[in-house]
């Protein structure tokens, strides 16, 4: 009888133990970090999901830099995961940062997810508007060469901005900068005014920017909304300059309105860009006073394999160009496909392509040499 009771007791203990394991893996629970503060874990698995508010980042319109960095550092310690931002405005500053050139440093394997465009807002603190510095950058961009800085990063569902239009913007520093990164996704992110770039893709590969919205009214020289660049000379503020070129970049299904001289800059500072897709974007050049280029590149850059397709471009100045790919004597344009783009409004020309060095494999290009600027004639490619 005693043996039967002990056996039943042992069986009950085993059942409770395994039930507890199941409950712990399937339910919300809290753990403590080394400082003793409790952080809510929404789902425990190979990736953790944590709420920024548990680290003190509540979006209450004050400087949230230290709290957000603590949350990112925690995710790095546990091997990656998702940081969920709640509603509100999260101010970022260099004064409270662990880095002298960037406000937030994103580790490898981390997702930063807001509660929605216009709902979660990351904003440069107004007192630092004239101070050079990046808002978000991947860890190791300034120390690790090739594609060995922090990668496997996702940014989604928030708004990011430098603040209101100003006559004294800073000279260096992007909203989001990627240096030496591998595998980055930026989706459903809204950028407002940017003194430099919304996204600077520098010496990185396997990067996608999609379903995002740009509304830039800051008219400053060199402020392309998205810039693709190599890790050299004029790259990201503080970048390790080892010459790594960008490759495998996709820019798709974005809606961008900008005052910038160049909106999508597909090559910069002697870069060679490989495997580029610019597809189904809606671009509005909002500047009526100055000419703009909606999709273009620097003359001293090469592009090897590109698909520029089904973009809708509207221009508003007689000196503007829709797609401008011009190359100097030392560079090439190879395997370029341009098709299905609709370019309307006031412009100097819809598409201008020229290379001083013989290039190969231009596909699906229909040139229209007659553009009626007075009537804003639609040009279809």
């Amino acid at each position: 009888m005693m043996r039967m009771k002990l056996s039943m007791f042992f069986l009950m203990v085993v059942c409770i133990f395994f039930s507890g394991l199941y409950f712990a893996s399937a339910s919300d629970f809290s753990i403590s970090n080394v400082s003793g503060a409790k952080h809510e874990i929404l789902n425990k698995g190979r990736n953790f999901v944590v709420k920024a508010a548990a680290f003190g980042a509540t979006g209450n319109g004050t400087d949230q830099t230290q709290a957000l960095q603590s949350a990112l550092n925690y995710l790095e310690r546990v091997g990656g995961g998702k940081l969920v931002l709640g509603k509100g405005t999260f101010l970022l500053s260099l004064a409270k940062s662990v880095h002298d050139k960037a406000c937030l440093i994103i580790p490898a394997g981390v997702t930063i997810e807001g509660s929605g465009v216009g709902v979660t807002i990351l904003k440069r603190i107004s007192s630092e508007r004239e101070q050079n510095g990046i808002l978000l950058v991947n860890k190791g961009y300034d120390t690790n060469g090739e594609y060995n800085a922090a990668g496997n990063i996702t940014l989604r569902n928030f708004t990011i901005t430098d603040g209101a239009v100003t006559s004294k913007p800073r000279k260096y520093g992007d909203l989001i900068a990627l240096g030496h990164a591998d595998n980055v996704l930026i989706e459903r992110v809204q950028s407002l005014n940017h003194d430099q770039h919304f996204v600077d893709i520098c010496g990185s590969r396997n990067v996608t920017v999609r379903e995002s919205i740009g509304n830039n009214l800051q008219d400053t020289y060199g402020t392309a909304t998205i810039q693709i660049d190599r890790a050299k000379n004029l790259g990201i503020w503080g970048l390790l300059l080892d010459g790594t070129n960008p490759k495998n970049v996709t820019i798709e299904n974005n809606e961008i309105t900008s005052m910038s001289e160049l909106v999508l800059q597909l090559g910069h500072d002697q870069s060679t860009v490989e495997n580029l897709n610019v597809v189904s974007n809606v671009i509005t050049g909002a500047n009526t006073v100055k000419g703009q280029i909606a999709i273009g590149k620097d003359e001293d850059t090469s592009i090897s394999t590109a698909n520029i397709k089904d973009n809708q471009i509207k221009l508003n100045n007689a000196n503007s160009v829709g797609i401008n790919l011009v190359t100097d004597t030392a560079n090439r344009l190879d395997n370029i496909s341009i098709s299905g783009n609709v370019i309307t409004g006031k412009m100097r020309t819809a598409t201008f392509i020229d290379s001083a060095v013989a290039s190969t494999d231009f596909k699906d290009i229909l040139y229209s040499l007659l553009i009626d600027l007075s009537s804003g004639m639609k040009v279809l490619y």
Side-chain angles (χ1 to χ4, degrees), residues 175-350:
L175 298 183
I176 300 172
L178 304 173
H180 303 291
D182 189 1
N183 191 25
V184 178
L185 172 62
I186 299 171
E187 64 177 357
R188 298 189 297 278
V189 173
Q190 178 189 42
S191 67
L192 300 179
N193 298 324
H194 46 82
D195 294 342
Q196 276 288 292
H197 312 292
F198 163 36
V199 181
D200 194 343
I201 302 166
C202 199
S204 296
R205 68 183 178 187
N206 303 319
V207 177
T208 297
V209 183
R210 70 186 182 199
E211 299 173 14
S212 293
I213 302 171
N215 293 289
N216 177 45
L217 299 180
Q218 185 70 48
D219 181 14
T220 309
Y221 176 77
T223 59
T225 296
I226 299 176
Q227 177 176 274
I228 302 173
D229 196 4
R230 71 169 180 155
K232 199 68 176 176
N233 299 328
L234 302 175
I236 299 168
W237 182 235
L239 181 74
L240 176 67
L241 305 179
D242 71 340
T244 303
N245 278 297
K247 60 176 63 176
N248 305 337
V249 177
T250 296
I251 303 170
E252 64 180 0
N253 295 316
N254 302 288
E255 186 173 339
I256 300 170
T257 299
S258 182
M259 297 286 285
S260 299
E261 180 182 11
L262 178 52
V263 182
L264 298 186
Q265 189 169 19
L266 307 185
H268 181 50
D269 190 29
Q270 302 176 16
S271 60
T272 296
V273 184
E274 298 180 35
N275 194 19
L276 175 64
N277 291 285
V278 182
V279 179
S280 299
N281 300 284
V282 177
I283 302 172
T284 301
N287 204 325
T288 60
V289 178
K290 300 178 183 178
Q292 295 177 271
I293 297 173
I295 300 174
K297 69 176 195 66
D298 292 356
E299 293 184 9
D300 62 352
T301 63
S302 295
I303 297 179
S304 175
T305 306
N307 183 29
I308 303 174
K309 180 180 180 182
D310 295 339
N311 299 285
Q312 298 183 44
I313 299 171
K314 183 177 180 180
L315 302 169
N316 286 286
N317 184 276
N319 291 315
S320 294
V321 179
I323 300 172
N324 186 60
L325 302 180
V326 179
T327 301
D328 65 18
T329 57
N331 290 278
R332 298 177 63 90
L333 297 169
D334 293 322
N335 195 26
I336 310 296
S337 175
I338 302 176
S339 63
N341 302 287
V342 177
I343 305 172
T344 63
K346 294 181 179 179
M347 69 193 84
R348 175 161 53 89
T349 186

Side-chain angles (χ1 to χ4, degrees), residues 59 85-90 114-121 157-159 190:
L85 307 181
K87 299 179 181 179
T89 298
F90 299 76
S115 297
V117 167
V119 177
T120 300
I121 301 172
N157 295 345
F158 58 82
T159 293
Q190 178 189 42

Side-chain angles (χ1 to χ4, degrees), residues 71-106:
L72 293 171
N73 293 346
Y74 171 77
L75 288 174
E76 182 179 27
R77 290 197 298 272
V78 298
K82 181 188 294 185
L83 174 62
V84 178
L85 307 181
K87 299 179 181 179
T89 298
F90 299 76
L91 297 183
L92 303 178
S93 73
L94 287 172
K96 298 294 181 65
S97 176
V98 297
H99 198 282
D100 64 347
K101 291 183 172 62
C103 298
L104 285 185
I105 310 300
I106 308 172

Side-chain angles (χ1 to χ4, degrees), residues 2-14:
M2 180 64 69
R3 285 185 178 179
M4 182 177 294
K5 288 183 178 180
L6 287 175
S7 298
M8 291 294 293
F9 177 76
F10 178 76
L11 182 60
M12 289 175 63
V13 169
V14 170

